[in-house]
Amino acid sequence: MHRSSGLQDTRSTSMKIAGAPISWGVCEVPNWGYQMTPERVLTEMKQIGLTATEFGPQGWLPIEAEARATEVKKYGLKPVGAFFLSVMHDPDFDPIPMVNKELDAFEAAGGDYLILATDSGRDGYDDRPVLDEAGWKTLFTNLDQIREVCANRVDIVHAKDVHKEMADKLLPGEITWSEGIRAGMFAPIGDGDIDFAAIVRLLDEAGFDGYYVLEQDIMIDEEPPADDGPIINAKKSYEALASLGR
Protein backbone atom coordinates (compact mmCIF):
# COMPACT_ATOMS: atom_id res chain seq x y z
CA MET A 1 0.00 0.00 0.00
CA HIS A 2 1.41 3.38 -1.00
CA ARG A 3 1.76 6.03 1.70
CA SER A 4 2.83 9.63 1.24
CA SER A 5 3.55 10.32 4.95
CA GLY A 6 3.16 14.06 4.34
CA LEU A 7 6.73 14.31 3.13
CA GLN A 8 6.17 17.70 1.52
CA ASP A 9 5.25 19.32 4.86
CA THR A 10 8.72 20.30 6.06
CA ARG A 11 9.25 22.62 9.01
CA SER A 12 11.20 25.85 9.07
CA THR A 13 13.90 26.29 11.66
CA SER A 14 16.71 28.68 12.53
CA MET A 15 19.06 25.73 13.07
CA LYS A 16 21.58 24.59 10.49
CA ILE A 17 20.76 20.92 9.88
CA ALA A 18 22.62 18.68 7.44
CA GLY A 19 22.20 15.06 6.41
CA ALA A 20 24.59 12.12 6.58
CA PRO A 21 24.25 9.39 3.91
CA ILE A 22 24.54 6.71 6.62
CA SER A 23 20.99 7.68 7.64
CA TRP A 24 20.01 6.19 4.27
CA GLY A 25 22.16 3.10 4.86
CA VAL A 26 25.13 4.32 2.78
CA CYS A 27 28.36 3.12 4.41
CA GLU A 28 32.00 2.37 3.60
CA VAL A 29 31.91 -1.05 5.31
CA PRO A 30 31.92 -4.03 2.89
CA ASN A 31 28.62 -5.95 2.72
CA TRP A 32 26.75 -3.21 4.62
CA GLY A 33 23.44 -4.01 3.00
CA TYR A 34 21.91 -2.30 -0.03
CA GLN A 35 23.50 1.02 -1.05
CA MET A 36 21.07 3.65 -2.32
CA THR A 37 22.15 5.96 -5.16
CA PRO A 38 23.28 9.56 -4.60
CA GLU A 39 20.44 10.73 -6.84
CA ARG A 40 17.76 9.29 -4.57
CA VAL A 41 19.44 10.07 -1.26
CA LEU A 42 20.25 13.70 -2.11
CA THR A 43 16.77 14.21 -3.58
CA GLU A 44 15.17 12.94 -0.37
CA MET A 45 17.46 15.06 1.81
CA LYS A 46 16.26 18.16 -0.01
CA GLN A 47 12.67 16.91 0.09
CA ILE A 48 12.52 16.73 3.89
CA GLY A 49 14.04 20.18 4.36
CA LEU A 50 17.77 19.56 4.82
CA THR A 51 20.00 22.29 3.42
CA ALA A 52 23.39 20.54 3.50
CA THR A 53 25.01 17.12 3.47
CA GLU A 54 28.20 15.28 4.22
CA PHE A 55 29.86 13.66 1.22
CA GLY A 56 29.44 10.09 2.42
CA PRO A 57 32.02 7.30 2.02
CA GLN A 58 34.84 7.50 -0.50
CA GLY A 59 33.60 6.53 -3.96
CA TRP A 60 29.88 7.05 -3.34
CA LEU A 61 30.17 10.47 -4.97
CA PRO A 62 32.78 11.28 -7.62
CA ILE A 63 36.34 11.12 -6.28
CA GLU A 64 37.44 14.25 -8.14
CA ALA A 65 36.85 17.23 -5.84
CA GLU A 66 35.02 19.65 -8.14
CA ALA A 67 32.82 16.89 -9.57
CA ARG A 68 31.91 15.86 -6.02
CA ALA A 69 30.84 19.41 -5.15
CA THR A 70 28.92 19.80 -8.41
CA GLU A 71 26.97 16.60 -7.75
CA VAL A 72 25.85 17.83 -4.32
CA LYS A 73 25.00 21.34 -5.49
CA LYS A 74 22.76 19.96 -8.27
CA TYR A 75 20.26 19.18 -5.53
CA GLY A 76 20.45 22.58 -3.85
CA LEU A 77 22.53 21.25 -0.95
CA LYS A 78 25.65 22.71 0.61
CA PRO A 79 28.62 20.32 0.96
CA VAL A 80 29.23 20.76 4.66
CA GLY A 81 31.45 17.90 5.69
CA ALA A 82 32.97 14.52 5.06
CA PHE A 83 33.64 11.41 7.14
CA PHE A 84 37.15 10.13 6.59
CA LEU A 85 38.86 7.06 8.08
CA SER A 86 42.59 6.75 8.67
CA VAL A 87 44.73 4.17 10.49
CA MET A 88 46.39 5.97 13.40
CA HIS A 89 47.69 3.22 15.70
CA ASP A 90 50.25 1.58 13.40
CA PRO A 91 53.83 2.78 14.08
CA ASP A 92 54.76 1.85 10.50
CA PHE A 93 52.05 4.00 8.91
CA ASP A 94 51.99 7.82 8.71
CA PRO A 95 48.39 9.09 8.34
CA ILE A 96 49.32 12.76 7.88
CA PRO A 97 49.94 12.69 4.08
CA MET A 98 46.62 10.92 3.53
CA VAL A 99 44.77 13.42 5.75
CA ASN A 100 46.44 16.38 4.01
CA LYS A 101 45.53 14.97 0.59
CA GLU A 102 41.89 14.56 1.64
CA LEU A 103 41.84 18.08 3.11
CA ASP A 104 43.12 19.53 -0.16
CA ALA A 105 40.42 17.70 -2.15
CA PHE A 106 37.86 18.56 0.51
CA GLU A 107 38.59 22.29 0.34
CA ALA A 108 38.47 22.20 -3.46
CA ALA A 109 35.04 20.56 -3.22
CA GLY A 110 33.78 23.39 -1.00
CA GLY A 111 33.41 21.43 2.24
CA ASP A 112 33.67 23.12 5.62
CA TYR A 113 34.48 20.32 8.06
CA LEU A 114 36.37 17.05 7.82
CA ILE A 115 35.13 14.45 10.33
CA LEU A 116 38.15 12.26 10.94
CA ALA A 117 37.84 8.84 12.59
CA THR A 118 40.38 6.19 13.51
CA ASP A 119 40.40 3.15 11.24
CA SER A 120 41.00 -0.28 12.80
CA GLY A 121 42.69 -1.43 9.61
CA ARG A 122 40.22 -4.30 9.37
CA ASP A 123 37.04 -4.81 7.37
CA GLY A 124 33.93 -3.64 9.20
CA TYR A 125 33.39 -2.57 12.80
CA ASP A 126 32.78 -5.94 14.44
CA ASP A 127 36.45 -6.95 14.65
CA ARG A 128 38.75 -4.56 16.53
CA PRO A 129 42.47 -4.84 17.27
CA VAL A 130 43.72 -4.84 20.86
CA LEU A 131 46.35 -2.09 21.11
CA ASP A 132 49.58 -2.54 22.99
CA GLU A 133 51.48 0.32 24.64
CA ALA A 134 53.20 1.24 21.37
CA GLY A 135 49.86 1.25 19.54
CA TRP A 136 48.24 3.61 22.05
CA LYS A 137 51.28 5.90 22.05
CA THR A 138 51.24 6.05 18.25
CA LEU A 139 47.49 6.73 18.21
CA PHE A 140 47.70 9.67 20.62
CA THR A 141 50.79 11.09 18.89
CA ASN A 142 48.99 11.03 15.55
CA LEU A 143 45.87 12.59 17.07
CA ASP A 144 47.99 15.46 18.42
CA GLN A 145 49.53 15.98 14.97
CA ILE A 146 46.17 15.79 13.21
CA ARG A 147 44.68 18.23 15.70
CA GLU A 148 47.21 20.79 14.45
CA VAL A 149 46.35 20.01 10.82
CA CYS A 150 42.59 20.28 11.45
CA ALA A 151 42.55 22.86 14.25
CA ASN A 152 40.33 25.32 12.38
CA ARG A 153 37.64 22.74 11.54
CA VAL A 154 36.19 21.80 14.94
CA ASP A 155 32.72 23.30 14.70
CA ILE A 156 30.13 20.65 13.87
CA VAL A 157 27.86 18.34 15.86
CA HIS A 158 26.71 14.86 14.85
CA ALA A 159 23.15 14.36 16.12
CA LYS A 160 22.75 10.66 16.85
CA ASP A 161 20.14 9.10 19.16
CA VAL A 162 20.53 5.62 20.64
CA HIS A 163 18.63 3.02 22.65
CA LYS A 164 20.76 2.73 25.78
CA GLU A 165 19.73 -0.82 26.64
CA MET A 166 21.14 -2.00 23.32
CA ALA A 167 24.33 0.07 23.59
CA ASP A 168 24.87 -1.48 27.02
CA LYS A 169 24.99 -4.90 25.33
CA LEU A 170 27.45 -3.70 22.68
CA LEU A 171 30.18 -2.47 25.00
CA PRO A 172 30.77 -5.81 26.82
CA GLY A 173 30.53 -7.74 23.54
CA GLU A 174 27.11 -9.33 24.02
CA ILE A 175 26.25 -8.15 20.50
CA THR A 176 28.41 -6.97 17.60
CA TRP A 177 28.17 -3.55 15.97
CA SER A 178 26.38 -4.90 12.89
CA GLU A 179 23.95 -6.91 15.04
CA GLY A 180 23.13 -3.75 16.97
CA ILE A 181 22.60 -1.77 13.75
CA ARG A 182 20.23 -4.36 12.30
CA ALA A 183 18.33 -4.54 15.60
CA GLY A 184 17.73 -0.76 15.56
CA MET A 185 20.27 0.35 18.15
CA PHE A 186 20.32 3.85 16.68
CA ALA A 187 16.98 5.64 16.75
CA PRO A 188 15.40 8.66 15.09
CA ILE A 189 16.05 11.74 17.22
CA GLY A 190 13.52 11.83 20.03
CA ASP A 191 12.91 8.08 20.06
CA GLY A 192 16.12 7.13 21.90
CA ASP A 193 17.62 8.00 25.26
CA ILE A 194 19.68 11.09 24.39
CA ASP A 195 18.42 14.38 25.87
CA PHE A 196 18.75 16.56 22.77
CA ALA A 197 16.79 19.41 24.35
CA ALA A 198 19.51 19.74 26.99
CA ILE A 199 22.29 19.42 24.40
CA VAL A 200 20.81 22.09 22.13
CA ARG A 201 20.22 24.39 25.08
CA LEU A 202 23.82 24.08 26.27
CA LEU A 203 25.20 24.60 22.76
CA ASP A 204 22.96 27.65 22.27
CA GLU A 205 24.26 29.10 25.54
CA ALA A 206 27.81 28.50 24.32
CA GLY A 207 27.05 30.39 21.10
CA PHE A 208 27.25 27.38 18.79
CA ASP A 209 26.33 28.36 15.23
CA GLY A 210 27.53 25.35 13.25
CA TYR A 211 25.72 22.47 11.60
CA TYR A 212 23.92 19.62 13.30
CA VAL A 213 24.40 16.56 11.09
CA LEU A 214 21.61 13.99 11.33
CA GLU A 215 23.16 10.54 11.61
CA GLN A 216 21.29 7.29 12.23
CA ASP A 217 23.35 4.22 11.32
CA ILE A 218 21.10 1.74 9.50
CA MET A 219 21.36 -1.18 7.08
CA ILE A 220 18.80 -1.85 4.35
CA ASP A 221 18.40 -4.94 2.17
CA GLU A 222 16.86 -3.51 -1.00
CA GLU A 223 15.74 -0.34 -2.74
CA PRO A 224 12.77 1.07 -0.76
CA PRO A 225 9.51 2.09 -2.44
CA ALA A 226 9.04 5.77 -3.29
CA ASP A 227 8.26 7.95 -0.26
CA ASP A 228 9.18 5.11 2.08
CA GLY A 229 12.29 3.66 3.65
CA PRO A 230 15.00 5.74 5.38
CA ILE A 231 13.35 9.04 4.45
CA ILE A 232 10.61 8.39 7.04
CA ASN A 233 12.97 8.32 10.02
CA ALA A 234 15.24 11.01 8.54
CA LYS A 235 12.23 13.36 8.31
CA LYS A 236 11.23 12.42 11.87
CA SER A 237 14.73 13.27 13.12
CA TYR A 238 14.80 16.52 11.17
CA GLU A 239 11.48 17.67 12.59
CA ALA A 240 12.37 16.68 16.17
CA LEU A 241 15.67 18.56 16.03
CA ALA A 242 14.28 21.52 14.12
CA SER A 243 11.57 22.00 16.76
CA LEU A 244 14.30 22.62 19.36
CA GLY A 245 15.69 25.55 17.40
CA ARG A 246 12.59 27.70 17.35
Side-chain angles (χ1 to χ4, degrees):
M1 178 177 177
H2 175 75
R3 59 176 180 174
S4 66
S5 304
L7 292 175
Q8 302 299 326
D9 300 325
T10 56
R11 298 185 180 189
S12 62
T13 178
S14 60
M15 299 173 73
K16 297 176 182 176
I17 304 178
I22 186 62
S23 295
W24 275 258
V26 178
C27 184
E28 71 283 350
V29 175
N31 301 315
W32 187 275
Y34 182 81
Q35 302 293 285
M36 295 174 68
T37 64
E39 179 180 11
R40 176 159 181 186
V41 172
L42 298 177
T43 296
E44 292 187 350
M45 284 186 181
K46 186 67 175 179
Q47 186 178 352
I48 67 174
L50 297 174
T51 59
T53 181
E54 290 186 349
F55 286 124
Q58 293 285 304
W60 184 64
L61 291 172
I63 296 295
E64 196 276 320
E66 292 184 3
R68 197 187 313 179
T70 298
E71 185 69 17
V72 169
K73 291 175 181 176
K74 281 196 313 188
Y75 299 90
L77 297 168
K78 175 181 172 60
V80 71
F83 178 75
F84 185 72
L85 287 163
S86 179
V87 173
M88 300 188 207
H89 64 274
D90 185 348
D92 297 323
F93 179 79
D94 181 6
I96 304 301
M98 179 184 293
V99 172
N100 276 324
K101 182 179 180 180
E102 178 61 18
L103 279 172
D104 290 343
F106 183 69
E107 290 175 349
D112 289 332
Y113 308 105
L114 183 70
I115 294 87
L116 185 64
T118 59
D119 191 342
S120 69
R122 302 179 182 180
D123 289 339
Y125 295 147
D126 293 339
D127 182 23
R128 294 171 288 180
V130 177
L131 301 189
D132 57 16
E133 184 175 348
W136 283 112
K137 182 178 180 180
T138 302
L139 172 62
F140 289 124
T141 297
N142 282 325
L143 286 175
D144 285 341
Q145 292 177 322
I146 289 168
R147 181 179 58 189
E148 296 176 6
V149 172
C150 307
N152 63 340
R153 296 178 179 271
V154 182
D155 197 13
I156 197 166
V157 173
H158 272 209
K160 197 166 189 171
D161 212 341
V162 66
H163 293 296
K164 183 177 181 300
E165 74 276 7
M166 295 190 67
D168 287 344
K169 294 179 181 179
L170 175 70
L171 297 178
E174 294 179 31
I175 60 173
T176 66
W177 181 267
S178 58
E179 287 170 344
I181 298 300
R182 287 201 175 275
M185 180 168 61
F186 292 105
I189 290 176
D191 284 5
D193 294 304
I194 304 299
D195 187 351
F196 277 96
I199 291 171
V200 171
R201 182 176 65 253
L202 289 172
L203 288 171
D204 283 347
E205 291 172 356
F208 176 74
D209 189 38
Y211 273 93
Y212 289 87
V213 179
L214 300 181
E215 187 176 70
Q216 180 187 356
D217 291 24
I218 65 168
M219 294 181 186
I220 61 175
D221 295 322
E222 59 186 7
E223 183 77 18
D227 291 340
D228 205 344
I231 190 174
I232 303 299
N233 282 340
K235 180 174 185 286
K236 188 174 186 178
S237 289
Y238 171 78
E239 293 183 343
L241 189 58
S243 69
L244 301 176
R246 293 178 175 177

